[in-house]
Structures are given as C-alpha cells and as structure tokens.
Amino acid sequence: MHLDPLSLRLFIAVIEEGTIAQAAQRCHIAASAVSKRLSELEDSLQTSLLERTNKGVAPTAAGIELLQLARSALNELEQVNVRMRDFASGLRDHVRVFANISAITQFLPREISTFLASYPQVQVHLEEKISAHVTQAVAENAADIGIIARGLYGQALEKFPYHSDELIVITPSQHPLSQRQQVTFAELLDYDFVGLHTGSAINMQLQKAASALERQIKLRMQVTSFDALCLMVEAGLGIGILPKAVARPYRATLGIHGLELKEPWAARELLICVRSYQALPRAARLLVDHLRQL
C-alpha cells in the first residue's frame, strides 16, 4: 500500500478525535473502513501507530512522529492547489505570513503595503496568531514566514531581528495609579488586570514575572485584541499592559492613562522566523529581505 492523502487524513482525525467512531463520523466514512485503512497503514509502515484501549486510541511514539509528518505533507499538498489556483488567476506568487498581534498592529500594514507596491504580482496571506502557534505553523509548513516575540517555543527555526517595542501600563483615568508616571510590576499585582488571550506572549511574560515574585496576577478578564483591552480598561474593569506604540492612539481618544513599566523585560524584541531561508520560495525570500531592511 502506498501512502495516500485519505489515509493520512483519517489517521490525523483518529488521533485528534480519540476514537475511530468519532473520526469516522467527522470524515463521513464507515468506522470499519477507517479501521481497515489504519491497519493497512500500519502494515505498510511495518510499525504500530496506535494503542487501542476500551476508551479509544492513543498514538505510539511512531504514531506521534507520523502525525507531524502527515500534517506537514498534507499542508504541502494543499499548497500545490493554492499555488496552481494563483497561476490560473494570474497571480504568480503567494506568501503565507503568520504574525502576533503586536507585529500586525504596529508594523506589518505599512510594510506589506510598501512591499506590494514593489511586487504587485505577489499575494500575501496574513493571519494573526499567538507566537507559540506562529512557530508551530512555520515548523509544519503551514506558514512561510512568522513574526513572533522573542521567547522559547520549542521549534528549531531560523530567526532574524525584526523590530523592538516597549510595554507600558494603562489604567482608567480615575485609577489610584493614574497620577504616577512609572511603576514596577510588583506594584501592579495589588490590582485587577485585563489580559490578552491565553498563550499570548505578553500574558506569558506577565505570568512568568508574577511567578518570580511568588505572586499571582488578579486576572479579571481576558480579551483577544488591543482595542478591546483599552475599552475594558477605560470602563474601569482593570489595568492592562500593551506596547507603547499600540497604546498611543487610544490614550489620545479614551479615558486611560499610560505609565512607564520599570522592568527590563518591558523592552521586547520581535523576530522573523522561517524553516529555512534558502529553501523559501522566491517571493517569500523577497518579503523577508524587505522586512529585515525596515
């Protein structure tokens, strides 16, 4: 049996759903057919991929390795369709960029605009993801280029300097800290926070800093965008931490106050990450070069 996309998709579905029955329902195929495909896959590879129990299935070590390879292979196949569609519609190149919210709100709109002015035949597909998901997508070839905050994400990627930014604190205009110009992180931990979504680089840094002080953050709520964070802070629901450049227009129009955060980690580095610069398609290399020059 040769490896084929259907068998790989069924294998991925079984791992993600945890049972053959649920995977069969998800893929609209009989459970017996799914089971037969999996057995043939194991026979073809001459290794056990799944451990079957009364509660369902779990991947073996070989199964975990195949899961990553299968996702990458299917992503590659999908890109064949995407890029051929681009040629059919007159587009000659397509670049997939995943970036964190800080890069998207501060830098990428202008920089992608100037890039496309020079290379109008290129289509740039941009998605906002947290940095950990960006690195995973780049590693699995779901994205050509990633923009992340410097950190440890467990992926072996090539990285290049991009931009730096500075985190500041924002408070409601009538908050006890609203008369201050600067503050340490320890002083903030007595107050309620409005945080970004779980897994974001900023939230992870705040949790790390609080743990170092043997304290906990009073996280009153979490939001998924900087504009929502600023509006919640203005409404008096807590204080927030976000990049200084992002906060600037909101400070001019909303009832919020900005303070300098006196911590070394408030100065951040953003990075460009790729699997291999030399292996990138020509358009993706041109975009990386463009972003590194700015």
Side-chain angles (χ1 to χ4, degrees), residues 97-170:
V97 181
F98 283 13
N100 66 7
I101 189 172
S102 296
I104 289 176
T105 53
Q106 295 181 92
F107 308 114
L108 283 173
R110 175 181 58 84
E111 294 172 358
I112 290 178
S113 177
T114 57
F115 175 77
L116 293 178
S118 299
Y119 302 99
Q121 79 279 13
V122 176
Q123 182 183 45
V124 176
H125 174 81
L126 175 64
E127 287 191 36
E128 185 259 314
K129 303 282 185 182
I130 62 175
S131 292
H133 291 173
V134 172
T135 58
Q136 181 179 358
V138 173
E140 295 178 355
N141 197 36
D144 301 304
I145 301 169
I147 310 291
I148 60 173
R150 180 180 290 278
L152 300 175
Y153 303 106
Q155 305 289 349
L157 303 173
E158 290 185 29
K159 301 181 179 71
F160 308 100
Y162 181 47
H163 284 291
S164 60
D165 65 10
E166 177 188 353
L167 298 178
I168 67 166
V169 182
I170 57 170

